[in-house]
Amino acid sequence: MIKTAVARKNLNTPIEQELLENFKNTCSEYGLAMNTVIEAFMRDFTSGNYTITLSKNGVSLKRED
């Protein structure tokens, strides 16, 4: 079976510095590229598997099983 190349786009968005460093370190601990983890989350999120709650205290995200 021949795989075809997937079109790619760059994502350029500001991220809280400490969060980004923690994310980089955690991805490294698992031996995963950051984009692999981000793409997996984006696929899961766009499938409607999360509930987002907005409040005065901020935003919370809950995964629906």
Side-chain angles (χ1 to χ4, degrees):
M1 181 184 313
I2 298 174
K3 283 189 164 187
T4 57
V6 175
R8 297 276 186 198
K9 296 288 262 177
N10 285 328
L11 176 66
N12 186 10
T13 186
I15 305 287
E16 181 185 325
Q17 185 175 351
E18 185 177 348
L19 175 61
L20 180 58
E21 289 303 317
N22 289 339
F23 182 70
K24 282 181 184 180
N25 292 336
T26 302
C27 288
S28 180
E29 289 171 9
Y30 280 92
L32 296 169
M34 289 190 309
N35 66 308
T36 300
V37 177
I38 291 168
E39 287 180 4
F41 172 72
M42 290 172 81
R43 280 190 194 93
D44 196 39
F45 183 80
T46 58
S47 296
N49 294 328
Y50 293 84
T51 298
I52 299 172
T53 303
L54 304 174
S55 70
K56 290 181 181 181
N57 297 325
V59 178
S60 66
L61 185 68
K62 178 182 177 191
R63 186 167 197 302
E64 303 296 327
D65 291 317

